[in-house]
Amino acid sequence: MAVLGLVSACGGGGAQGGGSASVPASPSAVPVPSSAMSAQASTAPAVATTAPSPAQPAGDRCRTAELRASVGRNDPGAGQRNFPVVLTNTSDRRCTVRGYPGAAFLDASGRQLGPDPRRDAGSGPVTVTLAPGRSAWAGLTYSSPEVSGAEAATPTTLLVTPPDERDPLRVPWTGGTVPVSGNASSVRLTVLMPGTGP
């Protein structure tokens, strides 16, 4: 998985994340990575993954305040690190997520580590309807720096921004080093899918 730079939180199905974030030089500044900003939603037809019940119709998209973000256990393979980034509906209504979340690694001073992640174009976005307490996940993948030789850093926080939202959620990062520059430093992120991981 590529390290999550600030990925544009976007419902669209583009092949790459938003532009690189501009990080302030002053440590006292609190950066807002470009990937934390939302992009325009995709116009592709929505595919419902969960049928709403007649008594409780699906609402509009999930807002940041209605979600909790978490990072699942690493599922390593062939020199890769693979983490599920999970969004869980904590509200009392149904809502939807579609496309790519935004993501970025931050150091202890709040500065972004590495470029924005690339979007994995392996599958198109689908609309995932989340009942209260239900989750959707996106895969975060990058080559292990020990294998790739990329320059590495150890983040303290992962910012996760729900699709089409501007406000990010903060998740403590305990996954160790991530690639931030050099060859094979790309981090990739998949579209959101139902559940909490593969």
Side-chain angles (χ1 to χ4, degrees):
M1 293 182 141
V3 176
L4 288 185
L6 291 184
V7 172
S8 308
C10 176
Q16 183 167 342
S20 298
S22 176
V23 180
S26 172
S28 62
V30 178
V32 178
S34 65
S35 56
M37 303 304 289
S38 65
Q40 186 174 359
S42 170
T43 57
V47 178
T49 57
T50 304
S53 67
Q56 189 178 29
D60 57 5
R61 78 169 185 265
C62 300
R63 308 292 173 161
T64 298
E66 298 176 306
L67 297 167
R68 179 181 70 249
S70 60
V71 176
R73 184 176 59 183
N74 179 28
D75 181 20
Q80 296 286 310
R81 295 181 185 172
N82 307 293
F83 294 90
V85 177
V86 182
L87 293 175
T88 301
N89 181 5
T90 60
S91 74
D92 59 1
R93 73 177 185 102
R94 288 177 181 265
C95 59
T96 62
V97 292
R98 177 182 174 86
Y100 299 86
F105 287 111
L106 304 183
D107 65 14
S109 66
R111 296 186 180 186
Q112 181 180 350
L113 296 173
D116 293 351
R118 295 177 178 272
R119 292 178 183 173
D120 189 333
S123 61
V126 296
T127 298
V128 183
T129 300
L130 299 179
R134 305 297 289 184
S135 302
W137 71 282
L140 175 66
T141 303
Y142 54 91
S143 297
S144 299
E146 295 85 350
V147 175
S148 69
E151 181 179 344
T154 303
T156 60
T157 303
L158 178 67
L159 285 188
V160 180
T161 307
D164 301 309
E165 290 291 295
R166 291 181 177 272
D167 297 326
L169 297 162
R170 290 177 174 263
V171 182
W173 178 255
T174 59
T177 59
V178 299
V180 295
S181 67
N183 294 334
S185 63
S186 178
V187 175
R188 299 186 304 279
L189 191 66
T190 68
V191 297
L192 286 160
M193 297 163 280
T196 58

